Amino acid sequence: MRKRLNQETAQALGLKVKPHKGKGKGNPKYYLSKDKEELLLEIQNKGVLDSCNGLEVDPTTVKHLWKKTKQESIFVKNPLYVNPIEKTYFELRNTILSDLKKFKPKFNIIQRDKLKDAHLLVIDPADVHIGKLCRAFETGEEYNSQIAVQRVLEGVDGILQKVQGFNIDKILFIGGNDILHIDTPKRTTTSGTPQDTDGMWYDNFLIAQQLYIDVLKQLLTVADIHFTFNPSNHDYTNGFFLADVIQTYFKDCKNITFDCSIAHRKYYRYFDNLIGTTHGDGAKQQDLPLLMAHESEDWSNTKHRYIYTHHIHHKTSKDYIGVTVESLRSPSGSDSWHDRNGYKGAPKAVEGFLHSKDNGQIARLTHIF
């Protein structure tokens, strides 16, 4: 910020000024001395407010002001100006904080009976891409945020119906994995790839937040939950923030645990099962078994080992020495880019898996749309 005044104006304001030594014709230029910064800020704010009020303009939308008269020429950066992107962020933050202040969820401890022949249920809504836009006019199918939510809720409910008759004592819920379609206000992924989108990024964040809350509350009626977050390439930052919000929401719930670190590969042990999860955009598939052996302390304590990956939106499964690596289908539609390049035709589904304490994966559960 810099103020340039003539001598008469400076003296009238009672400010000490020093002459500018630059070249040029006309009146000498004077600049405010550093010891008057507080008074300068008051004059600046008043000048901006007076000028904006006179023109009936919202002062928070004016980036700078250049006031010219016969007596003075003043250029100021408006301290009241709020960048639209920052304003959107603060509105989102305030909305979340307001909701949390108004409603602090209370969770009673659920006492569960010990089950004979119990199983682990893995539920993994992969690559949901809330905010993705597909138009039937171009791609032959519709997909938007509303359809994404409907498919996850329907898929989870379908899996729960399919496991009726099995005793479930634990649920491993896999979150993240491109739950959101974009990561920036410019409608791009984390790395800057433009996307066709439905809705504003902050709306989709709140939609995903409510979706996770609704699903986890439903699953808590069945068994205790371990929530694992996998960071991913479409929403590397916002997906992490979302997982942290969900963990905070359920912080007083004793029947759910969380692993929401930014680690790219996560591992969970269920008796004789070691289950790894990762998005699939990083380490090569053939390297995942050795990484599991190197990174997990439970490698030598387990017999049945599985790694569930995502990212490619279609089914693959391969047995390596000691580990089975399997990729999951996605419930999301094919957008313009995927349709143009021929990446379509794979069944759209939400998948789950049933693991026995002693015998590993005994069932693959698929709810197809």
Side-chain angles (χ1 to χ4, degrees), residues 108-151:
N108 296 322
I109 299 177
I110 303 174
Q111 302 292 343
R112 305 189 190 274
D113 297 332
K114 291 186 178 180
L115 301 173
K116 295 182 179 179
D117 189 29
H119 300 79
L120 169 74
L121 174 61
V122 180
I123 295 185
D124 193 344
D127 296 283
V128 179
H129 289 274
I130 292 177
K132 177 192 277 191
L133 180 64
C134 306
R135 289 298 191 198
F137 180 76
E138 180 180 7
T139 67
E141 62 179 316
E142 292 285 331
Y143 193 76
N144 53 43
S145 298
Q146 183 178 3
I147 295 174
V149 170
Q150 290 173 343
R151 287 187 179 177

Side-chain angles (χ1 to χ4, degrees), residues 237-255:
T237 56
N238 284 344
F240 175 78
F241 301 149
L242 174 62
D244 189 68
V245 169
I246 300 302
Q247 182 176 12
T248 302
Y249 184 92
F250 286 96
K251 67 182 180 65
D252 293 328
C253 181
K254 304 302 181 182
N255 296 95

Side-chain angles (χ1 to χ4, degrees), residues 172-191:
L172 174 60
F173 183 85
I174 312 301
N177 293 306
D178 290 341
I179 180 65
L180 295 165
H181 192 49
I182 59 173
D183 208 27
T184 73
K186 293 183 179 181
R187 301 176 185 269
T188 70
T189 64
T190 308
S191 60

Side-chain angles (χ1 to χ4, degrees), residues 32-274:
L32 294 171
S33 56
K34 291 182 180 179
D35 59 345
K36 293 294 182 180
E37 289 180 358
E38 248 182 69
L39 181 56
L40 173 59
L41 185 59
E42 291 179 15
I43 295 171
Q44 173 180 323
N45 291 344
K46 186 176 185 306
V48 171
L49 288 172
D50 288 347
S51 299
C52 291
N53 290 335
L55 296 172
E56 297 184 354
V57 174
D58 181 0
T60 63
T61 65
V62 179
K63 192 171 184 179
H64 56 257
L65 174 70
W66 194 347
K67 187 173 182 180
K68 291 185 178 181
T69 67
K70 293 181 179 179
Q71 288 78 31
E72 62 185 359
S73 174
I74 302 178
F75 178 84
V76 294
K77 292 182 179 179
N78 182 11
L80 303 176
Y81 170 73
V82 180
N83 185 291
I85 295 177
E86 293 178 354
K87 187 175 182 180
T88 300
Y89 162 74
F90 287 125
E91 288 175 349
L92 174 64
R93 185 194 65 177
N94 292 337
T95 299
I96 295 174
L97 291 177
S98 177
D99 289 343
L100 293 176
K101 288 178 181 178
K102 290 179 182 177
F103 174 68
K104 181 181 179 182
K106 295 181 180 179
F107 299 96
N108 296 322
I109 299 177
I110 303 174
Q111 302 292 343
R112 305 189 190 274
D113 297 332
K114 291 186 178 180
L115 301 173
K116 295 182 179 179
D117 189 29
H119 300 79
L120 169 74
L121 174 61
V122 180
I123 295 185
D124 193 344
D127 296 283
V128 179
H129 289 274
I130 292 177
K132 177 192 277 191
L133 180 64
C134 306
R135 289 298 191 198
F137 180 76
E138 180 180 7
T139 67
E141 62 179 316
E142 292 285 331
Y143 193 76
N144 53 43
S145 298
Q146 183 178 3
I147 295 174
V149 170
Q150 290 173 343
R151 287 187 179 177
V152 172
L153 293 175
E154 180 185 332
V156 171
D157 189 61
I159 289 174
L160 291 179
Q161 292 183 31
K162 291 175 177 64
V163 296
Q164 289 184 9
F166 290 92
N167 292 325
I168 309 297
D169 69 339
K170 193 75 174 182
I171 295 176
L172 174 60
F173 183 85
I174 312 301
N177 293 306
D178 290 341
I179 180 65
L180 295 165
H181 192 49
I182 59 173
D183 208 27
T184 73
K186 293 183 179 181
R187 301 176 185 269
T188 70
T189 64
T190 308
S191 60
T193 305
Q195 301 294 314
D196 297 330
T197 59
D198 171 50
M200 298 300 293
W201 66 271
Y202 45 84
D203 289 328
N204 290 324
F205 184 95
L206 296 174
I207 289 171
Q209 172 189 305
Q210 191 59 51
L211 174 61
Y212 272 165
I213 290 172
D214 292 342
V215 168
L216 291 175
K217 283 184 176 180
Q218 180 184 11
L219 296 179
L220 279 171
T221 64
V222 178
D224 288 0
I225 303 169
H226 180 71
F227 180 102
T228 293
F229 164 69
N230 287 155
S232 41
N233 60 306
H234 271 253
D235 59 348
Y236 185 67
T237 56
N238 284 344
F240 175 78
F241 301 149
L242 174 62
D244 189 68
V245 169
I246 300 302
Q247 182 176 12
T248 302
Y249 184 92
F250 286 96
K251 67 182 180 65
D252 293 328
C253 181
K254 304 302 181 182
N255 296 95
I256 182 169
T257 56
F258 287 88
D259 184 356
C260 292
S261 76
I262 200 65
H264 292 277
R265 291 172 296 279
K266 305 284 177 53
Y267 304 101
Y268 178 75
R269 181 185 178 185
Y270 177 75
F271 293 92
D272 211 12
N273 297 258
L274 179 58

